[in-house]
């Protein structure tokens, strides 16, 4: 049932809870394609009777990430079985638990552990093994965006190079959500960062923002053509790439021998350009990182440990909230459009429970 | 002293040996550049009195490899201190040894272990640690070309993927010297090979040659655009790249998840094109291999062990001599020109002792 004019925030949630089923309103799609065309706000009934291992969730908020859009387009590394609900991460509150559930209880705040039922919806019932409890003192914006970007930044910084104080990390797309976390995590560890952004009209403001986050050397890709500047920069043991194309060959000039170059995105939609000499004579190793695969291949204990480490690191690094704008589900089209265009300088957060909209907006200010 | 019209094969070697110094005639260069311009046949005197750790060598034969030419051009990964003698590998006979030398004796056949004094010359004195003794039953063509290509093929096949019977290796530039050795070593181990050559007029003859060496699937890069063929080929755990450019992105389609893609050359002179998805979602790892670095970072014992293993593997695989042509030093210009052009289908072997020219030519027939 497509309710294109449906207002999910009309009426009371209390009313919905009293029924024998939950009404879950979400952004569903039946085929891959342009999100503008294939996504629709729909409502489904979910029976309130739970199997012994299941938990019922009320979603609170979920970000709009580029990867969410790529998934809907069918161009992401994993394709869900359709029909499906969009959204790969978000915070939910546990509404009720099956009789055998031990890891979470009613009222807990959780995020998705591995598989997700789609987070751009108001309610879902999932196996309890799919959720991880998060501490209540984690700020709202951090909780909703904890599973992907901070965990990606954390694993890339800790798993590929044995970094010591003063060591250098180089990254392109440095103003991305992951990029900004990398800068802050690195600064908290006394690691230097060389942060590269694409040349753009507002570059001074962006570079100054990266500096304020703790970025050591903040430059544009155009600066990399300046041999004198290039010679003055230190060499990095770890490179992080989310751009691809020529941005990669440029970066290899600033890597040490035996450096690790980890790719986690391809914003330019171009294949990486890798100089043969960087591989043969500098012995650089290129790998990819995908948090989805890491979670899939790890135990629940390992995932919980990562989450605790990331939450602690975010506290240690006093991570600042990225620029975010809270929106209701009905405003999804505009937000997806702006996210696709890039350079919009902020992330959109779908607030899925209208009762907390004011609280979220206040926290994001 | 430049002797451009010098004939190194005039006169008797015995005469030279009786002198208090050896006259070493070789292809020397004082600056990097076009080999046609910077190389010259010159003769130098080497005192016959040796330090206690040195050995005096009489070079017998040395191949002309593309990397030798790149070194003279100054575009290779290592630049020797000029003036220098060209040539990176070859076979020599030990003429005399210093009082403390234990690893070789007079009359032994040796190859260079790590640093080389330049092999395109008739005589040299080097520290005994720089030479490795090779068994006398190794055929002449194999001895002269043992240090680089067979050792490269061996290490790449054994060090990067734990290959089991029936496993698949994919390689481009499959008709290169290394490529042909990879096919034969793999066949001796019951590993399958997918061998890609560049599309060319005589492709049928080349593909049929690769098949006769034991290549399982022998195709051109143009064939890789044929989806049906692509679907019929098995996936490889190990990829070997000596071409670069688009040849790499084509190859990633035929790699398994977590495959290793090892680069040891860049014949197209183009940077590798690597699809972002191959790194992130297939978790492919890209590395480079350079036998020079391997030897530099290994102990003498490890280098001797490798040599013994490679000699044994060449016997097990009944490795066939590549197409080679024996030439005298005076014919170097034509041989370098043809090697640079590629596609000449044979390797040139400089025979540095005129007395063995007939023997070498017979063996290469």
């Amino acid at each position: 049932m497509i309710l294109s004019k449906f207002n999910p925030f009309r009426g009371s949630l209390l009313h919905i809870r009293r029924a024998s089923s939950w009404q879950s309103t979400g952004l569903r799609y039946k085929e891959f394609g342009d999100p503008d065309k294939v996504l629709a706000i729909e409502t489904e009934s979910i029976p309130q009777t739970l199997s012994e291992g299941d938990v019922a969730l009320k979603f609170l908020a979920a970000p709009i990430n580029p990867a969410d859009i790529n998934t809907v387009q069918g161009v992401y590394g994993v394709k869900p079985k359709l029909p499906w609900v969009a959204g790969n991460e978000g915070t939910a509150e546990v509404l009720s638990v099956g009789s055998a559930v031990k890891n979470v209880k009613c009222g807990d705040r959780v995020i998705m552990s591995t598989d997700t039922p789609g987070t751009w919806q108001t309610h879902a019932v999932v196996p309890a093994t799919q959720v991880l409890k998060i501490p209540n003192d984690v700020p709202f914006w951090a909780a909703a965006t904890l599973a992907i970007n901070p965990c990606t930044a954390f694993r890339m910084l800790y798993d590929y190079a044995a970094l010591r104080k003063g060591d250098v990390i180089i990254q392109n797309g440095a103003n991305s959500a992951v990029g900004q976390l990398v800068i802050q995590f690195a600064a908290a560890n006394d690691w230097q960062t060389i942060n590269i952004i694409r040349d753009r009209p507002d570059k001074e403001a962006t570079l100054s923002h990266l500096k304020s986050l703790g970025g050591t050397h903040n430059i544009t890709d155009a600066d990399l053509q300046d041999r004198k500047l290039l010679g003055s920069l230190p060499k990095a043991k770890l490179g992080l790439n989310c751009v691809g194309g020529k941005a990669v060959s440029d970066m290899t000039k600033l890597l040490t021998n035996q450096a690790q170059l980890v790719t986690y995105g391809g914003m330019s939609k171009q294949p990486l350009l890798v100089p043969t000499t960087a591989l043969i004579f500098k012995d650089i190793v290129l790998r990819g990182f995908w948090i989805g695969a890491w979670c899939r291949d790890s135990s629940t204990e390992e995932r919980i440990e990562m989450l605790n480490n990331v939450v602690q690191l975010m506290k240690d690094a006093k991570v600042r909230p990225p620029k975010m704008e809270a929106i209701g589900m009905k405003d999804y089209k505009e937000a997806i459009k702006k996210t696709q265009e890039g350079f919009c300088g902020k992330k959109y957060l779908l607030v899925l429970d209208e009762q907390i909209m004011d609280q979220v907006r206040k926290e994001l200010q």
Side-chain angles (χ1 to χ4, degrees), chain A residues 124-293:
Chain A
V125 171
V126 300
T129 50
Q130 282 185 16
V131 301
L132 290 177
K133 187 186 166 177
I134 50 164
N136 281 327
D137 65 341
V138 176
F140 207 91
W141 55 268
T145 57
L146 195 58
I148 298 180
N149 291 337
C151 291
T152 297
F154 173 79
R155 293 247 74 95
M156 292 197 301
L157 286 172
Y158 285 86
D159 289 353
Y160 294 94
L163 296 169
R164 290 183 292 191
K165 277 191 181 189
D167 276 349
V168 185
I169 301 142
I170 187 168
Q171 61 168 345
N172 57 33
N175 196 40
S176 69
V178 170
Q180 294 192 33
L181 288 160
V182 163
I183 293 172
Q184 296 173 86
F185 289 173
N189 280 291
D190 289 322
W191 300 327
Q192 298 185 68
T193 48
I194 302 173
N195 304 295
I196 307 166
I197 60 166
R198 281 174 290 182
D199 209 7
R200 63 184 87 188
D202 67 340
K203 65 180 175 189
E204 291 310 330
T206 306
L207 293 174
S208 139
H209 173 62
L210 300 186
K211 190 177 178 187
S212 76
L213 293 178
T216 326
H217 308 276
N218 310 290
I219 58 177
T220 68
D221 49 9
D223 294 334
L224 284 178
Q225 308 314 318
D226 178 347
R227 282 199 173 195
K228 201 175 156 193
L229 176 79
L230 221 60
S232 73
L233 291 170
K235 295 274 191 299
K237 282 172 80 170
L238 177 65
L240 305 177
N241 162 50
C242 68
V243 175
K246 189 170 172 297
V248 175
S249 52
D250 284 344
M251 219 156 80
T252 58
K253 296 176 202 161
L254 285 168
L255 291 175
T256 62
N257 286 4
Q258 273 114 38
Q260 299 273 331
L261 178 46
V262 183
T263 291
Y264 68 98
M267 274 155 51
S268 74
K269 300 200 190 300
Q270 299 297 315
L272 291 78
L273 288 184
V274 185
T276 301
T277 50
L279 291 164
I280 299 184
F281 298 119
K282 290 186 84 168
D283 203 12
I284 287 167
V285 180
L286 272 90
R287 299 168 181 277
F289 179 77
W290 179 30
I291 190 69

Side-chain angles (χ1 to χ4, degrees), chain A residues 302-322:
Chain A
E302 286 169 326
R303 291 193 295 270
I304 290 174
E305 190 194 351
M306 170 170 71
L307 213 61
N308 291 334
N309 285 334
V310 170
V311 166
Q312 188 56 48
L313 183 56
M314 289 180 80
K315 287 177 184 167
D316 293 345
K318 299 183 181 67
V319 165
R320 287 200 237 158

Side-chain angles (χ1 to χ4, degrees), chain A residues 72-138:
Chain A
V72 175
Q73 290 168 326
V75 298
Y76 199 61
V78 275
K79 292 190 177 188
K81 271 190 191 170
L82 303 183
W84 202 250
V85 175
N88 287 305
E89 68 171 340
T91 319
E93 184 186 314
V94 177
L95 285 185
S96 64
V97 301
S99 56
V101 172
K102 297 264 195 289
N103 60 326
V104 290
K105 61 181 194 302
C106 228
D108 279 350
R109 266 200 202 171
V110 297
I111 61 170
M112 301 302 109
S113 165
T114 47
D115 298 317
T116 154
T119 54
W120 296 0
Q121 62 180 339
T122 59
H123 297 79
V125 171
V126 300
T129 50
Q130 282 185 16
V131 301
L132 290 177
K133 187 186 166 177
I134 50 164
N136 281 327
D137 65 341
V138 176

